[in-house]
Amino acid sequence: QCQLNGLWRNDQDSLMEISVLGDNGDFQGQYLTRVTLSGGCAQISPLRGAQQQLGEEGWPTFAFTVRWEKFSNATTAFVGQCFVDAGGKEILSTMWLLREAVGSLEEDWKATR
């Protein structure tokens, strides 16, 4: 069984900590990114999400958002699934979309990465 709560590190050396995982699957924590749009130093930002509740078997899916409130006018949405590999290591496989604020509807095309 994969457990989302705890400390996670990605391949860009960013850290995510899920510190509160509710019985209903809701969770919250913080994300320390090493990658910024502005090229600045690492910053901590809040995250909130939900995990699909499964029985004792299976690999849960989840989604969460990170609000980059202190250094960027952007929000990122992540979706993924938690797995356990053959060696017993828990792995989060995710995809993300980052939405950056733009000044007009005409610039909307360049706002999402």
Side-chain angles (χ1 to χ4, degrees):
Q1 179 79 15
C2 222
Q3 299 294 321
L4 287 183
N5 57 322
L7 187 64
W8 299 89
R9 181 182 309 273
N10 71 10
D11 55 358
Q12 299 295 317
D13 212 27
S14 295
L15 297 174
M16 174 178 75
E17 181 179 25
I18 297 176
S19 54
V20 178
L21 181 58
D23 292 338
N24 65 352
D26 290 352
F27 61 86
Q28 59 187 338
Q30 56 188 8
Y31 199 101
L32 173 65
T33 185
R34 301 278 185 204
V35 180
T36 64
L37 293 175
S38 62
C41 61
Q43 298 285 333
I44 295 175
S45 295
L47 70 83
R48 296 182 69 84
Q51 170 184 291
Q52 178 67 29
Q53 295 294 82
L54 297 174
E56 291 186 24
E57 298 294 324
W59 312 115
T61 59
F62 59 88
F64 64 91
T65 58
V66 177
R67 189 179 69 236
W68 310 110
E69 63 182 14
K70 296 179 182 171
F71 63 95
S72 174
N73 192 8
T75 301
T76 302
F78 293 81
V79 295
Q81 189 168 3
C82 190
F83 297 98
V84 177
D85 69 11
K89 182 180 178 183
E90 293 176 320
I91 301 198
L92 302 182
S93 177
T94 63
M95 295 291 288
W96 56 267
L97 288 172
L98 181 138
R99 177 65 187 216
E100 189 175 14
V102 293
S104 68
L105 182 58
E106 290 75 26
E107 296 177 290
D108 185 58
W109 65 271
K110 66 179 183 177
T112 303
R113 300 174 190 217

